[in-house]
Amino acid sequence: MEKIITIDNLIFEYSKSEGSENIRALDCVNLEIDEGSFTAIIGKNGSGKSTLAKNLNGLLIPTEGTVFVDGYDTADDDSIWEIRQRAGMVFQNPDNQLVSSIVEDDVAFGPENLGIEPEEIRRRVDKALEDVNMGQYKHKAPHLLSGGQKQRIAIAGVVAMKPKIIIFDEPTAMLDPKGRKEIMKIIMELHKEGITVILITHFMEEVIDADRVIIMHEGKVLLDGTPYEVFSQADVIRKANLDVPIMVELGDRLRKEGLDIPQGIIKEEEMVKALCQLKSQN
Ligand code: ADP
Ligand code: MG
């Protein structure tokens, strides 16, 4: 499969004021991301997730090592527009991402900066707003919308640039459960349309549908694999002070009670199946 992102020995340090030491936020990260894949990244606060995200679209440049996005080196000044167009980012707080007083202008902002024809921009804006189910809000003022609706507008703004990759940095952290579900549904649909999705989140239920889960810990990749592979190592995850999906927790408890439940069950349906199988054996 085509690698759309290649990260080699990435070290990133934030420089501190004079006298104090630099902060090493990423410590030798090596990753390759398949085109069209859906990768979830989890890790406790300060583990380097946002720093990694910003290194994926040239908002931050490696201190050491390299990041290639669709063949472009993020450290190469001449590539920055190519990279920004290919790798869009959605952040936690929608209020910080909206720039205009009318929804459609906001969504048009990115493509306008790319110098795209007005006719094409209009088409893209309409399509992007439909993709996030916000078509009827086209002429509304963003500040009158709910947090979830604002986040959908922010996503539309990124979608309108036709990126190959979208990096979501805790996009649902400020939303209520209903808003979270809507955003997740949109992310899944964008993935189905072929966009490479990288989702940073601390909600376990948002991780279990990913192709791949990466756990960051102290600037390093602690675990990397399918959700099944990663959550089979519940002890390692707990040592990193992270929660595990509720079904993994339940599986552990049932095993302690002596039930023969296989490791790595992460979804409700799988647990039901395992329990039914036990029942039929008895
Ligand atoms: P996460 O997103 O996983 O919470 P971050 O990437 O934001 O982690 O932070 C990783 C480390 O880098 C933390 O120790 C954090 O304090 C530090 N850090 C993040 N942003 C800055 C910054 N702008 N200046 C200095 N240190 C920073
Ligand atoms: Mg963060």
Side-chain angles (χ1 to χ4, degrees):
M1 210 175 294
E2 202 70 43
K3 306 293 175 196
I4 197 154
I5 295 175
T6 306
I7 303 170
D8 261 317
N9 293 313
L10 169 61
I11 292 175
F12 185 87
E13 292 184 348
Y14 290 100
S15 44
K16 279 285 253 187
S17 52
E18 257 175 79
S20 58
E21 274 183 36
N22 289 349
I23 294 172
R24 184 168 284 207
L26 295 175
D27 192 7
C28 215
V29 171
N30 287 286
L31 289 172
E32 287 183 326
I33 306 284
D34 287 333
E35 179 152 26
S37 62
F38 179 173
T39 304
I41 301 180
I42 55 180
K44 66 176 186 199
N45 271 344
S47 58
K49 304 180 299 295
S50 294
T51 306
L52 179 61
K54 288 176 190 157
N55 268 278
L56 300 182
N57 78 338
L59 277 177
L60 295 174
I61 305 300
T63 306
E64 284 177 39
T66 54
V67 177
F68 279 87
V69 176
D70 204 22
Y72 292 93
D73 185 342
T74 62
D76 181 356
D77 283 342
D78 296 335
S79 303
I80 196 67
W81 282 106
E82 302 291 346
I83 290 166
R84 292 276 163 81
Q85 193 219 321
R86 281 169 172 75
M89 268 194 74
V90 176
F91 296 96
Q92 189 178 99
N93 188 344
D95 286 322
N96 298 344
Q97 302 173 75
L98 303 180
V99 289
S100 305
S101 54
I102 297 173
V103 164
E104 66 175 341
D105 293 348
D106 217 289
V107 179
F109 184 77
E112 273 166 2
N113 277 331
L114 294 175
I116 288 158
E117 296 285 309
E119 193 60 24
E120 168 69 7
I121 291 180
R122 239 164 310 182
R123 259 197 306 271
R124 287 194 186 188
V125 168
D126 288 346
K127 169 77 167 64
L129 282 171
E130 254 165 51
D131 284 351
V132 300
N133 301 319
M134 288 294 285
Q136 72 270 41
Y137 292 88
K138 195 172 157 183
H139 302 295
K140 296 272 192 287
H143 73 269
L144 297 176
L145 304 176
S146 73
Q149 290 173 328
K150 282 185 205 169
Q151 194 62 302
R152 277 145 69 185
I153 300 302
I155 294 172
V158 171
V159 168
M161 294 177 74
K162 296 207 172 175
K164 290 186 168 185
I165 309 158
I166 304 182
I167 303 139
F168 296 89
D169 190 354
E170 305 207 29
T172 64
M174 303 180 79
L175 307 182
D176 60 19
K178 183 167 166 279
R180 291 216 300 269
K181 273 214 184 89
E182 283 164 358
I183 296 296
M184 279 313 294
K185 200 166 150 248
I186 289 163
I187 292 175
M188 295 307 289
E189 273 161 20
L190 292 171
H191 171 234
K192 264 193 223 133
E193 283 176 23
I195 291 182
T196 305
V197 170
I198 296 173
L199 171 67
I200 297 170
T201 182
H202 63 265
F203 294 109
M204 286 299 153
E205 72 268 23
E206 297 179 356
V207 171
I208 57 182
D209 287 319
D211 304 325
R212 177 179 181 188
V213 180
I214 292 170
I215 299 190
M216 295 293 298
H217 184 61
E218 295 175 354
K220 293 186 167 77
V221 173
L222 179 71
L223 290 173
D224 178 4
T226 62
Y228 177 87
E229 288 163 351
V230 165
F231 292 119
S232 295
Q233 307 200 50
D235 290 347
V236 180
I237 297 172
R238 288 200 194 91
K239 261 188 214 145
N241 273 324
L242 277 173
D243 288 336
V244 294
I246 181 109
M247 285 306 131
V248 175
E249 203 71 62
L250 181 59
D252 274 3
R253 287 191 53 188
L254 292 173
R255 274 188 295 278
K256 275 192 197 119
E257 295 292 335
L259 289 181
D260 186 16
I261 302 288
Q263 292 272 349
I265 285 185
I266 48 180
K267 296 184 185 180
E268 239 169 82
E269 314 89 83
E270 296 166 349
M271 183 59 84
V272 170
K273 219 166 126 193
L275 287 169
C276 287
Q277 222 153 22
L278 278 185
K279 187 180 153 209
S280 68
Q281 282 162 13
N282 289 332

